[in-house]
Amino acid sequence: MDFGLVLQTDPPASRVVSLMQRAERSGFTYGWTFDSAVLWQEPFVIHSQILARTERMRVGTMVTNPGTRTWEVTASTFATLNDMYGNRTVCGIGRGDSAMRVAGRSPNTLARLGEAITVIRDLAEGREAAVDGTALRLPWVEDGELPVWMAAYGPRALKMAGEKADGFILQLADVYLTEHMVKAVRAAAEQAGRDPAGITICVAAPAYVTADDSPAALAHARDQCRWFGGMVGNHVADLVSRYGEHSAAVPDELTDYIKARQGYDYSHHGRAGNPDTAFVPDDIVDRFCLLGPPQAHIAKLEALRALGVDQFAVYDMHDAQETVIDTYGTDIIPALNP
C-alpha cells in the first residue's frame, strides 16, 4: 500500500515543503495539497519546491477543478513540472467545492469535468486536444505522463471515474462506503471495456495517532478531526439536493448525518475547531477517519487494503502533524509494507 500526505498550502510555504520532506523520509510516497486560490497559497508554485527537495515523492492536487484555470494552463503546469522533475505529478481533480464557491461560482458540471479529464491528460502527455472548439497541442512535451485521478461520491460521478479516470479518490475511510464505491467504480470501468484493476484506488482521510484508546485521548482526536465530516458534508448536501433523502442511489450511511447541518463558512474550511462542524457526530468521525493507537490504524488500513485500496492519503490538519508523520513512519507503514 502506498501512503500520501495531504496538506493545505498555508503560509509559510517552507513549512509545507518541510513536512513533505519529513513524510518522504518516513516512507510516504505521495504528497498532496488542496487547491483553492482564495483560501490558500498557489499550490503549483509550492509543488515545484517539494519536487526539488524530495527524491521520489509524487506530487499532486487533492483536488483541482476544471473551472478556476483554463484546461491548457492546467495541463501546461503539470507538464512543466514533469519535464523538470521526471513525471512525478498526479492530477487529482473534482467538480470544485471551496475553490468555486468562495469565488462566487457553482461547482462544475460532471459533463465539464469528464471532458476536462481527457483534455488535460492528452495535452500534458503531448497529444492534440480540443479546448473550446480549438485544437491545441503543447509542442514542447516529450515523453509526458500525467495520471488523472477523479474525486467522487455520487453514482454518476463514480460511473464517470470508472469510465474516464486513471484513479479514484474517495475522501473518507468508512469501510462499508469504501466497498460500495470501489465496486461501483470498477463495475463502470468493466462496462466501459476498461481493466477495473488498472484504476488506482486512493482513500484520503484524517489520521490522528493517540498514545492509548482511553476516552479522553479519543475525544481529543475526534475534536481535532471533526472538521472532516463538515467538509464531506458539503458534497453530501449536494447529493441530497439532487437525489433526495433516503434515495436508493446514495447510501443512507453517507447522507443521514447531515440532517442537523445549518450552513458552512469556508473561512474555517479544513481546520480543526471549525465551528460549523459541531453537527458531525462522534460515530461519523470514527467511521470517516483513522483514530487511536497505531494498532487501530493498522487494522483499519488492512481492511481497506482488502477492499482494493492502493493508497491511503493522510489529511494532516490538526495539532499533531509531526507526530502522525513520524508514527506512520516507525509503526504503521512498516506494518503494512514489511
Side-chain angles (χ1 to χ4, degrees):
M1 178 180 273
D2 284 320
F3 288 84
L5 184 73
V6 190
L7 298 173
Q8 295 166 335
T9 51
D10 285 316
S14 58
R15 175 165 171 77
V16 178
V17 175
S18 176
L19 287 171
M20 291 296 187
Q21 290 177 298
R22 189 179 192 126
E24 184 179 60
R25 292 193 299 269
S26 296
F28 289 75
T29 52
Y30 283 76
W32 304 94
T33 69
F34 283 34
D35 177 16
S36 192
V38 175
L39 295 177
W40 301 291
Q41 293 184 327
E42 171 55 36
F44 290 112
V45 176
I46 299 170
H47 289 181
S48 184
Q49 294 298 303
I50 296 168
L51 289 162
R53 288 166 170 76
T54 56
E55 296 179 4
R56 299 167 303 280
M57 179 174 276
R58 297 178 69 92
V59 175
T61 46
M62 191 166 285
V63 291
T64 193
N65 72 86
T68 52
R69 296 179 180 83
T70 60
W71 303 348
E72 72 274 16
V73 169
T74 298
S76 180
T77 303
F78 276 110
T80 300
L81 292 172
N82 282 337
D83 185 65
M84 293 173 68
Y85 301 107
N87 288 336
R88 288 168 55 200
T89 69
V90 179
C91 176
I93 193 168
R95 292 176 58 229
D97 175 35
S98 64
M100 297 295 287
R101 286 180 163 130
V102 167
R105 308 182 186 106
S106 297
N108 298 270
T109 64
L110 275 177
R112 181 173 173 82
L113 173 58
E115 185 181 356
I117 287 172
T118 300
V119 168
I120 290 168
R121 180 171 50 215
D122 282 347
L123 290 175
E125 294 184 347
R127 295 183 294 277
E128 183 178 285
V131 180
D132 296 329
T134 299
L136 300 177
R137 188 175 69 84
L138 305 181
W140 47 269
V141 174
E142 295 183 5
D143 302 318
E145 178 185 303
L146 182 65
V148 181
W149 297 5
M150 179 179 161
Y153 293 106
R156 292 172 60 237
L158 295 169
K159 183 173 183 290
M160 180 173 287
E163 293 171 343
K164 291 181 175 289
D166 302 300
F168 164 48
I169 297 172
L170 175 57
Q171 294 173 90
L172 54 79
D174 177 82
V175 174
Y176 172 81
L177 292 172
T178 298
E179 181 176 18
H180 171 84
M181 294 183 187
V182 169
K183 284 181 177 178
V185 169
R186 289 189 165 155
E190 187 169 13
Q191 291 168 6
R194 306 179 71 201
D195 177 9
I199 299 175
T200 302
I201 307 297
C202 174
V203 162
Y208 198 99
V209 180
T210 61
D212 53 47
D213 58 1
S214 66
L218 291 176
H220 180 75
R222 291 185 186 110
D223 285 344
Q224 287 293 305
C225 298
R226 199 174 306 277
W227 62 265
F228 185 67
M231 187 183 85
V232 174
N234 297 328
H235 303 281
V236 174
D238 287 344
L239 292 175
V240 171
S241 176
R242 173 178 289 276
Y243 295 101
E245 294 183 4
H246 307 300
S247 167
V250 184
D252 288 348
E253 289 83 356
L254 177 62
T255 60
D256 275 355
Y257 83 97
I258 69 161
K259 290 177 181 177
R261 181 178 182 269
Q262 297 296 317
Y264 194 83
D265 180 353
Y266 280 90
S267 65
H268 306 290
H269 189 56
R271 300 192 185 282
N274 184 336
D276 296 322
T277 62
F279 73 92
V280 180
D282 286 353
D283 73 295
I284 287 292
V285 184
D286 292 347
R287 284 171 44 204
F288 284 12
C289 305
L290 274 72
L291 311 174
Q295 193 55 47
H297 292 244
I298 293 167
K300 192 164 188 179
L301 288 166
E302 287 175 337
L304 292 170
R305 182 167 61 181
L307 298 176
V309 174
D310 300 296
Q311 179 182 157
F312 177 60
V314 176
Y315 277 102
D316 202 27
M317 281 79 79
H318 45 57
D319 64 2
Q321 289 180 300
E322 288 88 352
T323 297
V324 166
I325 293 170
D326 294 348
T327 307
Y328 263 70
T330 57
D331 297 346
I332 297 171
I333 294 176
L336 273 292
N337 302 323

